[in-house]
Amino acid sequence: MGRLLVVANRLPFNIARKAKELHFRQSPGGLAVGLSSLPESCERLWLGWPGMTNEKLKGKEEDQIRDRLAAEGCRPVFLSRRQVEGYYQGFCNKTIWPLFHYFPRRTVYEDRFWKTYRQVNEAFCDEVMKIADKGDSIWVHDYQLMLLPKLLRERLPDSKIGFFLHIPWPSSEIFRLLPWREQILDGLLGADLIGFHTYDYVRHFLSSVSRITAMEHTLGNVSVANRVVKVDAFPMGIDYEKYSQAIGDPRVKKEAGKIRKRIGERKIILSVGRLDYSKGIIQRLEAFDLFLSQNPQYRGAVTLIMVAVPTRTGVEDYRELRNSLEQLVGRINGEYGTMGYIPVWYLYRSLPFVELTGLYNVSDVALVTPLRDGMNLVAKEYIAAKADQPGVLVVSEMTGAARELGEALVVNSCSKGAIVDAIKQALEMPPLEQLERNKIMQERLRRYSVSRWSQDFLSALSDIKKTQERMSANRLSPAIAKKLAQDYRKSRKRLLLLDYDGTLVGFKGKPADAGPDTEILALLKKLTAHPNNTVVIVSGRDRTTLEKWLGEIGAALVAEHGAWIRRDDRKWQTPLSRDTAWKESIRPILQLYTDRTPGSTVEEKDFSLVWHYRRADPEFAYVRGQELKAALVNLTENLDVGVFEGNKILEVKSRGANKGRAAEHWLARRGWDFILAAGDDYTDEEMFSALSDEAYSIKVGFSASTARFNVDSVKEIRLLLKRLSGDLNDTP
Ligand code: G6P
């Protein structure tokens, strides 16, 4: 078993300078705990930024950090102050963080931030490359490193790369605001497995992929050139036992007792979290304010303990938030406080485990109401810490955690009224009901703990790698390509059957009617001119277009998937009857659907009508297409036409002609000693099936096919043809 390389912005250590000395403190976040449960036999290494800029390190401190961390299985990635400003404070926390948490008005789009983000992702890549071995699995974490999977893929094409996003993936409508959206998707799709906390994020990600890159996906599998990338939800859990057993620890008990003694009989509401605007802290306090104003009976009877953990203090928005929060706490305490009663106990610091679990334990209610949160582990920890004890969780439906905590009081965190009602309901809920609700959630959290989470993710990563291997078993390897070229050279009578769109030219970034580029024209001319070659372009395009684009290269042409054939005499012939009266009843339907589906068009050919939806919204067009298909199947029942679904098209065409039958015109001639057929679409399958076993059939792409071999892309077909034409040396 290879090693596991974990790459994250942070290391599981805090390094701080105290009295001139460097201090290392373990900060075991969820991830570190999850990984610690992996079998001993799985060697682990963790790479990340040590949290201090290079400028703050003196003399030999870099070496000191390196050595100390090495002993803990960690490797530092050192960053300069300029890098931290542009990458961490800039692109990560002023661009991605606000945008992905649905705060577009706080989002800053700056080219220099983006440049530094790219540069730092490259620096992480260089560090990984210094230690990576072929068999290692690499697990990249979070929004700080979204370009890393692709960078690693370029340098380690076969390695296992997983990526997990710990924050939400926003709706594609928000994501598309990002000027660098293509690059971010491209970066992520370098991974083999992309994990999110919830199915909603998976759904948003997939719709971003299909809308922005036009890549296809089915059941969470995205086809990316030669690979399939799996996208799935893995809700991160907690170390359940650690929290549920905490109250057994005398130190925790003592802490809880201390707090209870201070607060007396009053009810305690707890709010804990990083001081981040995404956490809805101001709104929570405002709701508490409203609660006290509407419920005078609770003044003096309930205390809100608010623990705000300092974070990202280098970013202005965070500094401003602290000021607003402290003003608000002051106002509420001024308004409702008395000599013996402080309504809000405010702490601006992080709490060690014992104090935190002491607080969980003693609190009657936990108020977890972020405006947006990828998961939120506090909600889960609170429930775990309440083993066999009452306690009510109020959780925002905008957190990933709410998906698994349906027995809590789930609220819309933007509605102050809803939070006020939930606080009241929580304070007045009968203890038995509290216990019952918690029990169900505890069982769920116990089962899907953080160790299950990390094991699940890593086993899904191995599974997708196996699937990829199976799918690429028929890949046209360099050895087979070499043999193909040798066979070509040896032969005297060669037949080349070549599909056009998606095989000789790509779809991406070009208008559908752009026509062939000079490279492919020159290549086809050269191949056609060779006396030993018969080249046939076997296309679905209409004959006028084919004639215009390829009429002069000397190749034979097949148009409309075999409905028209132009051989050496340059005359078009058709095996079909000219009766196309059926078009009159079908055309109006297609036009109706075109009007109702912006971006779609109708193409009319001699023997077919085609509804194209490549340029329409993919999900909308898919639904419309299914409706249209049902209507067409019904309408064509008694006609001699068929309805076919292809690559972003729906085609109604006369039966009796297909690419296989067209190919027969040439295959029937005897004496070929070399046959090559290449295609990418379902219509090419009939051509592949018509071939004998020795013929070379090549499918562009990796979906199911009867072709003998697969290649990634148009580029690879062109390279192969160049090799055959003699434009490329035949040395491996
Ligand atoms: C969130 C992010 C993490 C990040 C953490 C603390 O949970 O998903 O990647 O490490 O916040 O933020 P900080 O900026 O202090 O690393």
Side-chain angles (χ1 to χ4, degrees):
M1 192 178 180
R3 296 175 306 174
L4 173 65
L5 309 185
V6 175
V7 195
N9 178 53
R10 299 274 184 188
L11 289 166
F13 280 90
N14 269 332
I15 305 177
R17 188 185 301 285
K18 275 191 202 150
K20 296 199 176 155
E21 290 289 303
L22 288 183
H23 278 252
F24 292 74
R25 193 160 49 87
Q26 240 178 339
S27 63
L31 177 60
V33 177
L35 297 175
S36 65
S37 65
L38 296 176
E40 284 294 312
S41 57
C42 172
E43 195 189 332
R44 268 151 278 162
L45 262 177
W46 186 314
L47 287 90
W49 173 49
M52 289 173 91
T53 59
N54 296 349
E55 287 80 355
K56 287 203 175 144
L57 298 170
K58 300 176 207 144
K60 294 217 154 76
E61 283 181 343
E62 267 194 32
D63 294 335
Q64 196 191 331
I65 293 180
R66 212 182 285 282
D67 293 346
R68 174 69 209 278
L69 290 177
E72 309 280 352
C74 294
R75 266 183 80 96
V77 180
F78 290 109
L79 301 176
S80 69
R81 198 177 65 215
R82 194 194 59 78
Q83 285 177 318
V84 169
E85 273 168 16
Y87 150 80
Y88 173 71
Q89 295 178 352
F91 199 74
C92 294
N93 290 329
K94 289 188 188 150
T95 310
I96 297 295
W97 182 272
L99 189 68
F100 279 36
H101 286 84
Y102 293 76
F103 292 93
R105 290 183 59 189
R106 287 184 190 263
T107 307
V108 179
Y109 306 103
E110 285 258 12
D111 266 319
R112 67 195 167 96
F113 289 170
W114 162 247
K115 271 196 202 118
T116 319
Y117 182 77
R118 244 180 22 208
Q119 203 188 72
V120 171
N121 272 251
E122 277 159 15
F124 268 84
C125 181
D126 292 341
E127 285 301 322
V128 176
M129 290 310 297
K130 285 186 195 156
I131 52 164
D133 276 338
K134 245 177 143 194
D136 293 340
S137 302
I138 308 176
W139 191 0
V140 181
H141 288 268
D142 228 358
Y143 64 105
Q144 299 92 347
L145 298 172
M146 291 192 283
L147 303 178
L148 188 55
K150 167 81 181 299
L151 294 169
L152 289 169
R153 175 70 54 207
E154 282 165 359
R155 292 163 76 174
L156 296 164
D158 299 321
S159 60
K160 260 191 229 169
I161 304 174
F163 178 89
F164 191 85
L165 188 75
H166 294 259
I167 66 172
W169 186 275
S171 142
S172 62
E173 283 300 305
I174 290 282
F175 177 69
R176 66 192 271 201
L177 299 175
L178 189 69
W180 308 277
R181 58 209 181 169
E182 284 93 354
Q183 290 95 317
I184 294 288
L185 289 176
D186 201 38
L188 290 171
L189 289 167
D192 299 302
L193 174 64
I194 304 177
F196 296 94
H197 283 304
T198 71
Y199 175 64
D200 284 332
Y201 309 154
V202 169
R203 185 162 79 65
H204 293 319
F205 177 76
L206 290 174
S207 91
S208 304
V209 167
S210 59
R211 286 182 159 82
I212 293 165
T213 71
M215 281 177 199
E216 307 277 336
H217 61 84
T218 19
L219 298 173
N221 293 320
V222 186
S223 312
V224 184
N226 58 344
R227 292 174 306 123
V228 50
V229 176
K230 179 90 190 156
V231 180
D232 210 345
F234 302 87
M236 189 177 189
I238 55 166
D239 183 349
Y240 182 80
E241 307 304 331
K242 185 171 164 206
Y243 286 91
S244 66
Q245 289 165 9
I247 198 55
D249 180 338
R251 288 171 308 162
V252 175
K253 230 182 229 146
K254 195 166 151 211
E255 186 64 34
K258 225 164 67 189
I259 304 167
R260 181 44 79 200
K261 203 160 150 222
R262 283 287 196 79
I263 305 244
E265 285 301 289
R266 285 185 193 115
K267 295 272 188 186
I268 300 175
I269 302 179
L270 176 65
S271 157
V272 189
R274 287 186 308 108
L275 212 180
D276 194 303
Y277 50 82
S278 64
K279 306 280 181 190
I281 306 179
I282 297 285
Q283 293 76 356
R284 194 175 312 154
L285 260 185
E286 285 173 350
F288 184 63
D289 181 14
L290 186 64
F291 170 76
L292 289 182
S293 96
Q294 289 179 349
N295 297 279
Q297 73 278 21
Y298 276 105
R299 294 180 203 159
V302 55
T303 298
L304 172 67
I305 300 184
M306 172 156 280
V307 183
V309 179
T311 185
R312 304 175 195 168
T313 44
V315 179
E316 303 85 78
D317 279 7
Y318 290 76
R319 290 198 297 267
E320 282 166 18
L321 177 65
R322 181 180 175 193
N323 289 338
S324 319
L325 173 66
E326 292 179 356
Q327 272 181 23
L328 189 54
V329 170
R331 193 179 62 63
I332 298 175
N333 282 345
E335 192 155 339
Y336 303 105
T338 61
M339 283 308 172
Y341 171 55
I342 303 171
V344 184
W345 282 27
Y346 168 67
L347 303 177
Y348 178 64
R349 59 188 174 92
S350 70
L351 294 182
F353 181 77
V354 169
E355 281 184 43
L356 179 67
T357 41
L359 262 179
Y360 284 155
N361 211 272
V362 80
S363 301
D364 301 285
V365 178
L367 204 50
V368 183
T369 55
L371 299 173
R372 252 335 130 161
D373 207 335
M375 172 49 79
N376 196 299
L377 297 178
V378 166
K380 293 187 171 181
E381 290 166 7
Y382 178 73
I383 292 297
K386 287 292 185 187
D388 297 325
Q389 287 176 63
V392 183
L393 171 67
V394 177
V395 66
S396 155
E397 63 186 58
M398 313 304 175
T399 62
R403 297 277 165 279
E404 297 160 79
L405 301 172
E407 292 76 15
L409 299 182
V410 181
V411 293
N412 173 353
S413 50
C414 295
S415 163
K416 254 187 257 172
I419 302 180
V420 168
D421 292 348
I423 293 178
K424 188 144 191 285
Q425 192 187 343
L427 291 172
E428 291 167 11
M429 188 183 285
L432 203 61
E433 182 181 343
Q434 299 183 24
L435 287 171
E436 276 168 4
R437 287 177 184 246
N438 291 350
K439 210 170 166 145
I440 305 173
M441 293 188 275
Q442 280 154 356
E443 190 46 32
R444 207 175 290 136
L445 295 178
R446 196 182 55 74
R447 276 199 315 268
Y448 207 83
S449 65
V450 68
S451 4
R452 257 292 287 291
W453 169 80
S454 54
Q455 284 158 20
D456 259 17
F457 183 92
L458 292 171
S459 85
L461 181 58
S462 297
D463 288 350
I464 187 66
K465 214 59 204 169
K466 282 186 206 130
T467 309
Q468 287 176 1
E469 277 157 20
R470 248 194 339 266
M471 286 173 79
S472 63
N474 297 333
R475 163 183 283 280
L476 188 81
S477 64
I480 298 168
K482 189 171 173 200
K483 168 89 170 47
L484 185 154
Q486 282 166 354
D487 288 352
Y488 176 89
R489 257 203 192 109
K490 278 193 291 196
S491 54
R492 292 281 154 265
K493 214 174 158 224
R494 312 164 186 144
L495 175 61
L496 308 182
L497 299 163
L498 306 171
D499 165 52
Y500 179 77
D501 290 279
T503 303
L504 297 177
V505 297
F507 302 107
K508 222 181 152 188
K510 278 187 246 145
D513 49 5
D517 51 277
T518 48
E519 183 191 70
I520 193 67
L521 281 176
L523 191 52
L524 289 173
K525 263 190 200 151
K526 193 157 181 195
L527 285 167
T528 312
H530 198 289
N532 292 3
N533 291 354
T534 297
V535 178
V536 188
I537 307 296
V538 189
S539 172
R541 295 257 181 186
D542 66 79
R543 59 186 167 139
T544 323
T545 307
L546 279 190
E547 178 112 33
K548 187 167 92 196
W549 288 350
L550 304 167
E552 297 309 316
I553 59 169
L557 303 175
V558 170
E560 293 196 29
H561 306 118
W564 287 107
I565 295 175
R566 193 190 88 160
R567 281 191 273 188
D568 310 340
D569 59 2
R570 296 194 159 216
K571 285 205 184 91
W572 288 100
Q573 287 173 353
T574 179
L576 300 175
S577 101
R578 300 279 180 133
D579 175 18
T580 52
W582 59 267
K583 282 183 173 176
E584 303 314 315
S585 53
I586 302 297
R587 196 183 296 111
I589 297 269
L590 295 189
Q591 263 151 6
L592 176 70
Y593 273 79
T594 304
D595 293 341
R596 294 173 58 201
T597 318
S600 68
T601 50
V602 178
E603 180 192 8
E604 176 148 3
K605 299 191 264 189
D606 293 336
F607 296 99
S608 69
L609 287 169
V610 195
W611 187 64
H612 289 264
Y613 57 88
R614 180 169 300 282
R615 273 154 223 284
D617 179 287
E619 283 155 32
F620 178 53
Y622 176 76
V623 175
R624 277 276 187 272
Q626 294 306 308
E627 280 174 30
L628 175 58
K629 190 175 161 196
L632 290 173
V633 169
N634 228 321
L635 268 169
T636 53
E637 233 169 30
N638 301 319
L639 300 172
D640 196 22
V641 295
V643 181
F644 301 88
E645 215 174 336
N647 197 343
K648 306 277 185 195
I649 59 141
L650 210 54
E651 179 154 15
V652 186
K653 63 178 184 188
S654 303
R655 292 187 197 278
N658 63 44
K659 287 191 177 182
R661 288 203 197 158
E664 296 285 358
H665 283 272
W666 284 272
L667 292 169
R669 297 185 200 163
R670 308 222 160 250
W672 303 112
D673 51 5
F674 177 90
I675 299 177
L676 168 71
D680 72 312
D681 201 353
Y682 76 104
T683 57
D684 301 311
E685 292 301 316
E686 275 146 346
M687 173 167 80
F688 296 146
S689 313
L691 303 175
S692 60
D693 291 349
E694 318 75 66
Y696 285 98
S697 49
I698 305 178
K699 155 111 180 165
V700 183
F702 283 80
S703 47
S705 172
T706 47
R708 285 174 64 200
F709 306 108
N710 300 77
V711 295
D712 291 357
S713 60
V714 167
K715 198 166 143 206
E716 231 179 297
I717 290 284
R718 287 195 183 194
L719 280 177
L720 183 71
L721 294 180
K722 275 188 196 161
R723 193 168 177 180
L724 300 186
S725 75
D727 283 355
L728 271 187
N729 262 347
D730 198 18
T731 42

